[in-house]
């Protein structure tokens, strides 16, 4: 019986190809929009997750921020000795710490002047972040402790400043905090960047280059700084630090525990994920309204079809077709119309996403579960809005139907 109803439904759809396509158009647009929006949201969430994986999900910033609105005190800032003490108190949890220092400056080599942003690091920075050295070496403990004016440049920065990638041994002049000195290049590295970072940097008009420098140079001359950048050994260590480190710092600085903030990359990632998920769901919900419009269109066309096929209905009922058989026939037709619209909508939405990803050089995410749900939902829309026309057809009086002209 099901095969027979499907055969009759396909025959009716083929008999009115243009009308059937226009009927499905609302479903196609609705499902295509939902698939595209949800897939874009999932892709962006994946890209953001990759960014945080590159940065380090166990990274956190520690600082003091009075919650009562009072002014910062001098003692709220950190010193190098306090940072070392924190590492000594939490040796099992903290893998790395520095002063979270950076500097942007114009770097000059002869007549060449290039804008650089230098991140201040400690000698064991490569233990928590990958630094792919192409030429030379990383910064050493002697560089850090001796405040030596040695730097490691990104390969693009080395080429922009010196015209060659292998700039090891070359020097340049730079002004940091009002003091101009000569700096020596001891290494050149290739950074690891996520797809989103590459896309943003490719679209950016900024000509800033990047490099690594001893963080002790950037804390000079007073050796105090606003926050400490920390890498926990693992996610469990980060949870332990969240429970204990703010209390420790609050005690040493005579502050309330809530005044000491330990804000981790995982916290920020969770907030971003929740925000993007909510935004994707809201926009997807708005796009799903077109499914309602598509369903109304299906009901309208099915009502027209019932009127056109009144004599056919009368003949079927006169030959012994039950009310249930007629109703299932029209419900099957409306479900097939809607399901086909859903399939075409999935193809359209996925195609738009993959095309956009290809043009942007990004790997897109289209979840199979969303595709199955979208097609299933579109079929349910067809069934729901086909109930009234099917019921009207099934309740038709066979005598009156046979007399219908």
């Amino acid at each position: 019986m099901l095969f027979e109803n499907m055969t009759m439904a396909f025959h009716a759809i083929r008999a009115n190809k243009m009308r059937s396509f226009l009927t499905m158009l609302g479903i196609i647009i609705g499902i295509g929009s939902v698939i595209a929006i949800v897939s874009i949201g999932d892709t962006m969430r994946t890209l953001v997750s990759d960014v945080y994986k590159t940065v380090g999900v166990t990274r956190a910033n520690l600082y003091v921020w009075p919650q009562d609105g009072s002014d910062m005190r001098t003692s709220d800032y950190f010193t190098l000795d306090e940072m070392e003490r924190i590492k000594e108190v939490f040796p099992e949890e903290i893998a790395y710490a520095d002063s979270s220092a950076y500097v942007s400056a114009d770097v000059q080599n002869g007549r060449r002047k290039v804008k650089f942003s230098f991140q201040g690091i400690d000698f064991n920075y490569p233990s928590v972040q990958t630094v792919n050295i192409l030429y030379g070496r990383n910064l050493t403990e002697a560089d850090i402790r001796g405040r030596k004016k040695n730097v490691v440049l990104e390969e693009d920065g080395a080429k922009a400043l010196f015209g060659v990638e292998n700039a090891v041994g070359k020097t340049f002049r730079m002004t940091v905090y009002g003091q101009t000195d000569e700096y020596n290049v001891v290494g050149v590295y290739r950074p690891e960047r996520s797809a989103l970072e590459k896309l943003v940097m490719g679209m950016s008009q900024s000509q800033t280059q990047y490099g690594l420098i001893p963080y002790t140079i950037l804390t000079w001359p007073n050796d105090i700084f606003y926050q400490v950048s920390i890498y926990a050994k693992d996610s469990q260590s980060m949870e332990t630090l969240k429970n204990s480190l703010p209390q420790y710092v609050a005690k040493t600085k005579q502050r309330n525990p809530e005044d000491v903030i330990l804000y981790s990359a995982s916290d920020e990632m969770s907030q971003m994920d929740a925000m993007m998920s909510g935004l994707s769901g809201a926009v997807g919900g708005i796009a799903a309204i077109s499914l309602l419009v598509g369903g109304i269109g299906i009901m309208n066309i099915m009502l027209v079809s019932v009127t056109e096929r009144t004599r056919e209905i009368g003949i079927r009922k006169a030959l012994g077709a039950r009310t249930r058989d007629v109703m299932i026939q029209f419900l099957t037709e409306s479900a097939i119309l809607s399901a086909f619209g859903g399939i075409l909508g999935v193809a359209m939405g996925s195609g738009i996403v993959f095309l956009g990803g290809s043009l942007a050089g990004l790997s897109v995410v289209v979840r199979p579960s969303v595709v199955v749900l979208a097609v299933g939902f579109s079929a349910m829309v067809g069934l729901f809005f086909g109930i009234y026309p099917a019921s009207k057809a099934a309740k038709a009086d066979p005598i009156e139907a046979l007399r219908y002209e």
Side-chain angles (χ1 to χ4, degrees):
M1 180 63 70
L2 178 61
F3 179 75
E4 180 183 347
N5 286 328
M6 291 182 67
T7 301
M8 294 175 66
F10 281 120
H11 178 75
I13 292 171
R14 284 198 302 268
N16 299 279
K17 296 183 182 67
M18 180 57 69
R19 188 173 73 183
S20 297
F21 174 75
L22 293 176
T23 302
M24 292 186 291
L25 194 57
I27 300 294
I28 293 172
I29 294 173
I31 292 296
S33 300
V34 171
I35 290 290
I37 291 168
V38 172
S39 297
I40 290 171
D42 288 339
T43 299
M44 292 306 297
R45 289 166 67 187
T46 301
L47 292 174
V48 170
S49 177
D50 290 342
V51 169
Y52 282 100
K53 286 178 182 177
T54 302
V55 171
V57 292
T58 61
R59 181 180 180 180
N61 290 322
L62 174 70
Y63 57 93
V64 176
W65 186 259
Q67 298 301 299
D68 59 3
S70 61
D71 294 333
M72 292 279 291
R73 303 187 303 228
T74 303
S75 60
D76 291 334
Y77 293 87
F78 293 91
T79 67
L80 291 178
D81 289 339
E82 286 177 329
M83 185 176 70
E84 292 300 323
R85 181 59 180 163
I86 288 173
K87 290 192 286 185
E88 291 173 3
V89 173
F90 299 94
E92 301 301 321
E93 291 81 19
I94 296 178
Y96 172 85
D98 64 37
S99 62
S100 190
Y102 69 93
V103 66
S104 294
D106 289 325
V107 171
Q108 192 157 356
N109 170 42
R111 294 184 177 180
R112 287 190 182 183
K113 183 181 289 186
V114 180
K115 187 76 172 180
F116 266 82
S117 179
F118 285 99
Q119 178 185 351
I121 65 167
D122 205 345
F123 71 94
N124 59 336
Y125 181 74
S127 66
V128 293
Q129 285 287 284
T130 302
V131 181
N132 298 313
I133 294 294
L134 301 179
Y135 309 101
R137 60 172 176 83
N138 278 307
L139 298 176
T140 65
E141 186 171 6
D143 294 325
I144 309 301
R145 302 293 174 254
R147 302 182 192 262
K148 295 184 179 179
K149 292 177 172 56
N150 293 334
V151 299
V152 180
L153 301 181
E154 278 192 13
E155 56 179 333
D156 290 342
K159 193 168 184 178
L161 185 60
F162 298 104
V164 294
E165 288 185 359
N166 188 359
V168 175
K170 297 183 181 295
T171 61
F172 60 83
R173 296 185 66 78
M174 179 173 66
T175 301
V176 177
Y177 303 149
Q179 183 175 343
T180 303
D181 291 292
E182 193 168 84
Y183 290 78
N184 181 49
V185 180
V186 297
V188 176
Y189 73 103
R190 176 174 296 161
E192 286 190 353
R193 291 196 175 96
S194 66
L196 182 59
E197 288 177 302
K198 292 177 181 177
L199 176 64
V200 171
M201 292 187 70
M203 296 172 62
S204 173
Q205 301 299 315
S206 173
Q207 299 299 314
T208 301
Q209 304 297 334
Y210 299 91
L212 305 174
I213 194 170
Y215 79 90
T216 48
I217 290 177
L218 303 185
T219 58
W220 185 264
N222 51 20
D223 283 344
I224 63 171
F225 40 93
Y226 171 65
Q227 67 181 9
V228 179
S229 178
I230 293 172
Y231 281 85
K233 289 188 175 180
D234 51 47
S235 58
Q236 189 60 43
S237 298
M238 179 56 71
E239 291 304 313
T240 301
L241 286 171
K242 285 181 180 179
N243 295 327
S244 56
L245 184 53
Q247 285 79 3
Y248 169 78
V249 174
K251 184 177 179 180
T252 60
K253 292 186 176 295
Q254 298 182 346
R255 281 288 191 181
N256 294 323
E258 59 268 21
D259 294 336
V260 181
I261 311 298
L262 183 64
Y263 189 63
S264 68
S266 59
D267 293 333
E268 188 173 339
M269 182 173 65
S270 298
Q271 290 184 2
M272 287 287 294
D273 186 70
M275 182 186 69
M276 295 182 69
S277 179
L279 182 62
S280 178
V283 178
I286 295 171
I289 293 175
S290 59
L291 289 176
L292 177 63
V293 178
I296 294 172
I298 287 177
M299 182 170 65
N300 182 49
I301 293 302
M302 292 306 299
L303 285 171
V304 173
S305 180
V306 168
T307 302
E308 288 180 346
R309 295 157 64 184
T310 300
R311 286 182 62 82
E312 175 192 330
I313 294 169
I315 292 171
R316 287 200 67 193
K317 297 195 78 172
L319 293 174
R322 295 168 295 179
T323 298
R324 184 182 67 179
D325 297 331
V326 176
M327 187 169 185
I328 291 175
Q329 174 192 344
F330 282 91
L331 280 177
T332 301
E333 187 172 326
S334 64
I336 288 176
L337 269 174
S338 190
F340 262 101
I343 292 171
L344 292 175
V346 167
M348 182 187 77
S350 301
I352 291 173
V353 172
F354 280 109
L355 177 62
S358 177
L359 293 175
L362 300 175
S363 178
V364 299
V365 177
V366 178
R367 284 185 289 167
S369 59
V370 174
V371 172
V372 173
L373 183 63
V375 175
F377 183 73
S378 65
M380 292 300 295
V381 167
L383 285 172
F384 178 78
F385 285 97
I387 288 175
Y388 176 69
S391 176
K392 181 180 179 182
K395 292 177 181 178
D397 182 88
I399 303 301
E400 294 297 326
L402 288 170
R403 288 176 178 174
Y404 183 82
E405 294 295 336

